[in-house]
Amino acid sequence: MMATAAVFMMTLLGAAALSVDVGRWYNGHQGLQAAVDASARAGASQLPSGWSTAQTAAATEYDNNGSATATVVYLGSGLLTAGDPITVTASRVVVSRLAAPFARTALTVRGSAR
């Protein structure tokens, strides 16, 4: 009886820890996606002024909203006219806090906006 209770408690603890970390991973992805969305919009609004201006605007907006630990890539279409797309892609590692003994120790979350 005691062994069964111990196994049940460990399973319950692992499930609770995993659910907390899955929430952290989801929250990390949502924050990253919101930052790249804002960055792409800011960059696209400046494309008629030139790629350098658009990239600077996108980077500034990402710096205001995103994570400093993320890797960010800015790609343009090269046409530099109103309505042209700029693609912002970012990725960062979200570390597991509780589920590390039971599951993954980290997850790379990615976000992309055009």
Side-chain angles (χ1 to χ4, degrees), residues 34-78:
V36 296
D37 286 343
S39 178
R41 272 188 247 112
S45 71
Q46 297 300 316
L47 274 174
S49 299
W51 172 247
S52 177
T53 305
Q55 187 175 10
T56 301
T60 300
E61 190 66 28
Y62 185 84
D63 290 343
N64 290 339
N65 297 304
S67 170
T69 61
T71 302
V72 186
V73 177
Y74 307 95
L75 298 172
S77 67

Side-chain angles (χ1 to χ4, degrees), residues 13-43:
L13 179 64
L18 185 60
S19 68
V20 168
D21 279 344
V22 167
R24 284 179 45 83
W25 296 334
Y26 179 77
N27 190 30
H29 175 263
Q30 290 300 101
L32 190 70
Q33 186 63 49
V36 296
D37 286 343
S39 178
R41 272 188 247 112

